[in-house]
Amino acid sequence: MSAALLGTERRTPPVAVRPGQGAAAALLDAAAVSTVRRRAALRPAPAGERPAPAPADPRPPLPPAARRRRALLLADRGGGSRRGAAPDLTELLPQWLAAAEEYGYRAPEALLPALLDAARARTDLRPAALTLAGPRALWLSRLNAEWKFVLRGIGGPADLSGDGGTDGSDGPDGVRRRWEEGLFAERVALLTALRRQDPGAGLALLSTTWSTERAEDRLMFLDSLRDGLSTADEPFLEQALSDRSRNVRATAAELLSTLPGSALAARMAQRAHTSVGPDRTAGAPGIAVEAPHECDAGMQRDGVAPKPPAGRGERSWWLGQLVEAAPLDGWHARFGGRDAAAIVALPVADDWQTELHDAWCRAAVRQGNTDWARALLGAPGAPSRAAEVAPAGSSRDLTKLLTVLPDAERARWVAEFIAAHGLSEAFRMLGACAVPWSEPLGGAVVDALDIARDAGSYPWSFSGVMGLAERCLDPAAADRLAPLTAVTDEPEGASPGSGGYWSEAFQRLVGTLRLRATMRAELAPEPTGHDATANSGTGTDTGTRPPTATPVHGPARTTRQPLAP
């Protein structure tokens, strides 16, 4: 301070002067450092050890337009409103992340903290967000306790090499050390990653500490064996059938039942075929059921829970578990070579049909059997099909059954169901369909919404379906749907103002589809070399410039025209 008041020519400042630097500059530098330290409330001290450098990420960076778009989406993640005609950016972030993953981009370093904060707040974003963040997300998570969830969310090769090898965790010895010394979340992520890369090595690693793990930990580790499950895992799972934890035993039995050639599947098939078979007493072909009269020790060891839930009979409870775990292919020989559709069509004696078909539905989902799923779903347009979605006393879940079908077939089935029965029972089915919705599924949803508007109801009665449509419809349908944004004449008996509300809802739908198309165009790689020259010469725009989005103007009062095919 004295040197500053008197001047450096009269008093030499007590600071280090670098070569070529004047005394006045050195004094000002020292004052700046002192000010920063005072504001930080820290005493001068030797610098701490720097963290190891972050691993390299060789993937290409986001295009500039896509980078700006991501910053906008992250800034708006606090929550959008379902009212108004503006698109809900909160719901578009997952789609943007999925599209960026398709192109193989990496997130800009400066936006990684905001991306990890968004993933911490929304678990549905984590898989895609962590993929975009790449290996540096794992590196950052070790420096900020709020991002520890990354250790549970990464399931790729990065888990097997630590921070790119900078922490000495490469190789079998490093993996073994991390398995024995890591936190539970890190161990789950490590086992999941190892199973995906080398299922046998993952099982061997789990076997080394299995007997000393807690029951709740054994359950989570056992669930990780679903990745790469094969007959090589059967001896380990057979031993787990004798585990002291009931939940571990049940999970082991479930995994074994998905292996049609396992010894457990054969035992369950023998029990199920004893209880269910051809009806020899009826004049026409049919199915006779004789449910088990007891749940013996062998059944309990194979995963059959002896005590039923409240309101459920013991014998029907045991029967359902036996049929669910029995291989579906074995029923063909049991019923004289009939295929799945013919077996399902057989009448079941003594009111056992609902219980038997529910168990077959669960078996089809567990075993991923498309023939049985197709037979149990039946024709979606049948007049009685709407009532069969949830028969009285049924526990079947047709949405899970639909996931067994190929994407295209699943979309066609749901489209026919909506065309025949409307949207009231189809919301969960729509969530199981591949995105973007293909035709005729997209057309069936829009037609059903249009019919609902004609009925005079309010659009928020269908807000869930409308939200799905904004995220799942093909963006190319925006121009075709534009006529729906007009305010139509309200039918007699309609809810007051419903026409305007429907117009607003369709404006938001069209605007969201156009914004999705723009986002996709922003992610497209820039043309290079000959492609760029050819495009400029022909006037064809195939670069990153987004297509011009036609604004949705204020609604005009008009009579609705039929939707063009």
Side-chain angles (χ1 to χ4, degrees), residues 6-50:
L6 296 175
T8 56
E9 294 182 353
R10 299 177 61 184
R11 176 166 296 184
T12 302
V15 298
V17 180
R18 298 192 303 273
Q21 182 185 40
L27 176 62
L28 293 175
D29 284 350
V33 172
S34 178
T35 300
V36 171
R37 285 173 172 166
R38 185 172 63 254
R39 289 177 176 173
L42 292 175
R43 294 178 179 273
E49 182 180 356
R50 293 184 177 183

Coordinates of all heavy atoms in Angstrom, one line a residue, residues 6-50:
L6 N 3.2 6.1 -2.6 CA 4.3 6.9 -2.9 C 4.8 6.8 -4.3 O 5.5 7.7 -4.8 CB 5.5 6.5 -2.0 CG 5.2 6.7 -0.4 CD1 6.4 6.1 0.4 CD2 5.1 8.2 -0.2
G7 N 4.4 5.7 -5.0 CA 4.9 5.5 -6.3 C 6.0 4.6 -6.4 O 6.9 4.6 -5.5
T8 N 6.1 3.7 -7.4 CA 7.1 2.7 -7.5 C 8.5 3.3 -7.8 O 9.5 2.7 -7.5 CB 6.8 1.7 -8.6 OG1 6.6 2.4 -9.8 CG2 5.5 0.9 -8.2
E9 N 8.5 4.6 -8.3 CA 9.8 5.2 -8.5 C 10.5 5.7 -7.2 O 11.7 5.7 -7.1 CB 9.7 6.4 -9.4 CG 9.3 6.0 -10.8 CD 9.2 7.3 -11.7 OE1 9.3 8.4 -11.2 OE2 8.9 7.1 -12.9
R10 N 9.6 5.9 -6.2 CA 10.2 6.3 -4.9 C 10.3 5.2 -3.9 O 11.1 5.3 -2.9 CB 9.3 7.4 -4.3 CG 9.2 8.7 -5.2 CD 8.2 9.7 -4.6 NE 8.7 10.1 -3.2 CZ 8.0 11.0 -2.5 NH1 6.8 11.4 -2.9 NH2 8.5 11.3 -1.3
R11 N 9.5 4.1 -4.1 CA 9.6 3.0 -3.2 C 9.4 1.7 -4.0 O 8.4 1.5 -4.6 CB 8.6 3.0 -2.1 CG 8.6 1.8 -1.2 CD 7.8 2.0 0.1 NE 8.4 3.0 0.9 CZ 8.0 3.4 2.2 NH1 6.9 2.8 2.7 NH2 8.6 4.3 2.8
T12 N 10.4 0.8 -3.9 CA 10.3 -0.4 -4.6 C 9.3 -1.3 -3.9 O 9.4 -1.6 -2.7 CB 11.7 -1.1 -4.6 OG1 12.7 -0.2 -5.2 CG2 11.6 -2.4 -5.4
P13 N 8.3 -1.8 -4.7 CA 7.2 -2.7 -4.1 C 7.8 -4.0 -3.7 O 8.7 -4.6 -4.4 CB 6.2 -2.8 -5.2 CG 7.0 -2.6 -6.4 CD 8.0 -1.6 -6.1
P14 N 7.4 -4.6 -2.5 CA 7.9 -5.9 -2.1 C 7.2 -7.1 -2.8 O 6.6 -7.9 -2.1 CB 7.6 -5.8 -0.6 CG 6.3 -5.0 -0.5 CD 6.4 -4.0 -1.6
V15 N 7.3 -7.1 -4.1 CA 6.6 -8.1 -4.8 C 7.6 -8.7 -5.9 O 8.6 -7.9 -6.2 CB 5.4 -7.7 -5.6 CG1 4.3 -7.2 -4.5 CG2 5.7 -6.5 -6.5
A16 N 7.4 -9.9 -6.3 CA 8.3 -10.4 -7.4 C 8.0 -9.8 -8.7 O 6.9 -9.5 -9.1 CB 8.0 -12.0 -7.5
V17 N 9.1 -9.4 -9.4 CA 9.0 -8.8 -10.7 C 9.6 -9.8 -11.7 O 10.7 -10.2 -11.6 CB 9.8 -7.5 -10.7 CG1 9.7 -6.8 -12.1 CG2 9.3 -6.5 -9.6
R18 N 8.7 -10.1 -12.7 CA 9.2 -11.0 -13.7 C 10.1 -10.3 -14.7 O 10.0 -9.1 -14.9 CB 7.9 -11.6 -14.5 CG 7.0 -12.4 -13.6 CD 6.0 -13.2 -14.5 NE 5.2 -12.3 -15.3 CZ 4.1 -11.6 -15.0 NH1 3.6 -11.8 -13.8 NH2 3.5 -10.8 -15.8
P19 N 10.9 -11.1 -15.4 CA 11.8 -10.5 -16.4 C 11.0 -9.7 -17.5 O 10.0 -10.2 -18.0 CB 12.5 -11.7 -17.0 CG 12.5 -12.7 -15.9 CD 11.2 -12.5 -15.2
G20 N 11.4 -8.5 -17.7 CA 10.7 -7.7 -18.7 C 9.5 -7.0 -18.2 O 8.8 -6.3 -19.0
Q21 N 9.2 -7.2 -16.9 CA 8.0 -6.5 -16.4 C 8.4 -5.4 -15.5 O 9.4 -5.5 -14.7 CB 7.2 -7.5 -15.5 CG 5.9 -7.0 -14.9 CD 5.2 -8.0 -14.0 OE1 5.9 -8.7 -13.3 NE2 3.9 -8.0 -14.1
G22 N 7.8 -4.3 -15.6 CA 8.1 -3.1 -14.7 C 7.6 -3.3 -13.3 O 6.7 -4.1 -13.1
A23 N 8.1 -2.5 -12.4 CA 7.7 -2.6 -11.0 C 6.2 -2.2 -10.8 O 5.5 -2.8 -10.0 CB 8.6 -1.7 -10.2
A24 N 5.7 -1.2 -11.6 CA 4.3 -0.8 -11.5 C 3.4 -2.0 -11.9 O 2.4 -2.2 -11.2 CB 4.1 0.4 -12.3
A25 N 3.7 -2.6 -13.0 CA 2.9 -3.7 -13.5 C 2.9 -4.9 -12.4 O 1.9 -5.5 -12.2 CB 3.3 -4.2 -14.8
A26 N 4.1 -5.1 -11.9 CA 4.2 -6.2 -10.9 C 3.3 -5.9 -9.6 O 2.7 -6.7 -9.0 CB 5.6 -6.4 -10.5
L27 N 3.3 -4.6 -9.2 CA 2.5 -4.2 -8.1 C 1.0 -4.3 -8.3 O 0.3 -4.8 -7.5 CB 2.8 -2.7 -7.7 CG 2.0 -2.1 -6.6 CD1 2.3 -2.9 -5.3 CD2 2.3 -0.6 -6.4
L28 N 0.6 -3.9 -9.5 CA -0.8 -4.1 -9.9 C -1.2 -5.6 -9.9 O -2.3 -6.0 -9.5 CB -1.1 -3.4 -11.2 CG -1.0 -1.9 -11.2 CD1 -1.2 -1.3 -12.6 CD2 -2.0 -1.3 -10.2
D29 N -0.3 -6.4 -10.5 CA -0.6 -7.9 -10.5 C -0.8 -8.4 -9.1 O -1.7 -9.2 -8.8 CB 0.5 -8.6 -11.2 CG 0.4 -8.4 -12.7 OD1 -0.6 -7.9 -13.2 OD2 1.4 -8.9 -13.4
A30 N 0.1 -8.0 -8.2 CA 0.0 -8.5 -6.8 C -1.3 -8.0 -6.1 O -1.9 -8.7 -5.3 CB 1.2 -8.0 -6.0
A31 N -1.7 -6.8 -6.4 CA -2.9 -6.3 -5.8 C -4.1 -7.0 -6.4 O -5.1 -7.3 -5.6 CB -3.0 -4.8 -6.2
A32 N -4.1 -7.4 -7.6 CA -5.2 -8.1 -8.2 C -5.3 -9.5 -7.5 O -6.4 -9.9 -7.2 CB -5.0 -8.3 -9.7
V33 N -4.2 -10.2 -7.4 CA -4.2 -11.5 -6.7 C -4.7 -11.4 -5.3 O -5.5 -12.2 -4.8 CB -2.8 -12.1 -6.8 CG1 -2.8 -13.4 -6.0 CG2 -2.4 -12.4 -8.2
S34 N -4.3 -10.4 -4.6 CA -4.7 -10.2 -3.2 C -6.2 -9.9 -3.1 O -6.9 -10.4 -2.2 CB -3.9 -9.0 -2.6 OG -4.4 -8.8 -1.3
T35 N -6.7 -9.1 -4.1 CA -8.2 -8.9 -4.1 C -9.0 -10.1 -4.3 O -10.0 -10.4 -3.6 CB -8.5 -7.8 -5.2 OG1 -7.7 -6.6 -4.9 CG2 -10.0 -7.5 -5.2
V36 N -8.5 -11.0 -5.2 CA -9.3 -12.2 -5.5 C -9.3 -13.1 -4.2 O -10.3 -13.7 -3.9 CB -8.7 -12.9 -6.7 CG1 -9.3 -14.3 -6.8 CG2 -8.9 -12.1 -8.0
R37 N -8.1 -13.2 -3.6 CA -8.0 -14.0 -2.4 C -8.9 -13.5 -1.3 O -9.5 -14.3 -0.6 CB -6.6 -14.1 -1.9 CG -5.7 -15.0 -2.8 CD -4.2 -14.9 -2.4 NE -3.4 -15.9 -3.1 CZ -2.1 -15.9 -3.2 NH1 -1.4 -14.9 -2.6 NH2 -1.5 -16.8 -3.9
R38 N -9.0 -12.2 -1.1 CA -9.8 -11.6 -0.1 C -11.3 -11.9 -0.4 O -12.0 -12.2 0.5 CB -9.5 -10.1 0.0 CG -10.3 -9.5 1.2 CD -9.8 -8.0 1.4 NE -10.1 -7.2 0.3 CZ -9.2 -6.7 -0.6 NH1 -7.9 -7.1 -0.5 NH2 -9.5 -6.0 -1.6
R39 N -11.7 -11.7 -1.6 CA -13.1 -12.0 -1.9 C -13.4 -13.5 -1.8 O -14.6 -13.8 -1.5 CB -13.4 -11.5 -3.4 CG -13.4 -10.0 -3.6 CD -13.6 -9.6 -5.0 NE -13.6 -8.2 -5.2 CZ -13.7 -7.6 -6.4 NH1 -13.6 -8.3 -7.5 NH2 -13.8 -6.3 -6.4
A40 N -12.5 -14.3 -2.0 CA -12.8 -15.7 -1.9 C -12.7 -16.2 -0.5 O -13.0 -17.4 -0.2 CB -11.8 -16.5 -2.7
A41 N -12.3 -15.3 0.5 CA -12.2 -15.7 1.9 C -11.2 -16.8 2.1 O -11.5 -17.7 2.9 CB -13.5 -16.0 2.5
L42 N -10.1 -16.9 1.4 CA -9.1 -17.9 1.5 C -7.8 -17.3 1.8 O -7.4 -16.3 1.2 CB -9.0 -18.7 0.2 CG -10.2 -19.6 -0.2 CD1 -10.0 -20.3 -1.5 CD2 -10.4 -20.7 0.9
R43 N -7.0 -18.0 2.7 CA -5.7 -17.5 2.9 C -4.8 -18.0 1.8 O -5.0 -19.1 1.3 CB -5.2 -18.1 4.3 CG -5.9 -17.5 5.5 CD -5.4 -18.1 6.8 NE -6.1 -17.6 7.9 CZ -5.7 -16.5 8.6 NH1 -4.6 -15.8 8.2 NH2 -6.4 -16.1 9.7
P44 N -3.7 -17.3 1.5 CA -2.8 -17.8 0.5 C -2.2 -19.1 1.0 O -1.8 -19.3 2.2 CB -1.7 -16.7 0.5 CG -2.4 -15.5 1.0 CD -3.4 -15.9 2.0
A45 N -2.1 -20.1 0.1 CA -1.6 -21.4 0.5 C -1.1 -22.1 -0.8 O -1.4 -21.7 -1.9 CB -2.7 -22.3 1.1
P46 N -0.3 -23.1 -0.6 CA 0.2 -23.9 -1.8 C -1.0 -24.5 -2.6 O -2.0 -24.9 -2.0 CB 1.1 -25.0 -1.2 CG 1.5 -24.4 0.1 CD 0.3 -23.6 0.6
A47 N -0.9 -24.5 -3.9 CA -1.9 -25.0 -4.7 C -2.1 -26.5 -4.4 O -1.2 -27.2 -4.2 CB -1.6 -24.8 -6.2
G48 N -3.4 -26.9 -4.4 CA -3.7 -28.3 -4.3 C -3.4 -29.2 -5.5 O -3.1 -28.6 -6.6
E49 N -3.4 -30.5 -5.4 CA -3.1 -31.3 -6.5 C -4.2 -31.2 -7.6 O -5.4 -31.3 -7.2 CB -3.0 -32.8 -6.0 CG -2.7 -33.8 -7.1 CD -2.5 -35.2 -6.6 OE1 -2.7 -35.4 -5.4 OE2 -2.3 -36.1 -7.5
R50 N -3.8 -31.0 -8.8 CA -4.8 -30.9 -9.8 C -5.4 -32.3 -10.2 O -4.8 -33.3 -10.0 CB -4.2 -30.4 -11.1 CG -3.7 -28.9 -11.0 CD -3.2 -28.4 -12.3 NE -2.8 -27.0 -12.3 CZ -2.3 -26.3 -13.3 NH1 -2.2 -27.0 -14.5 NH2 -2.0 -25.1 -13.2

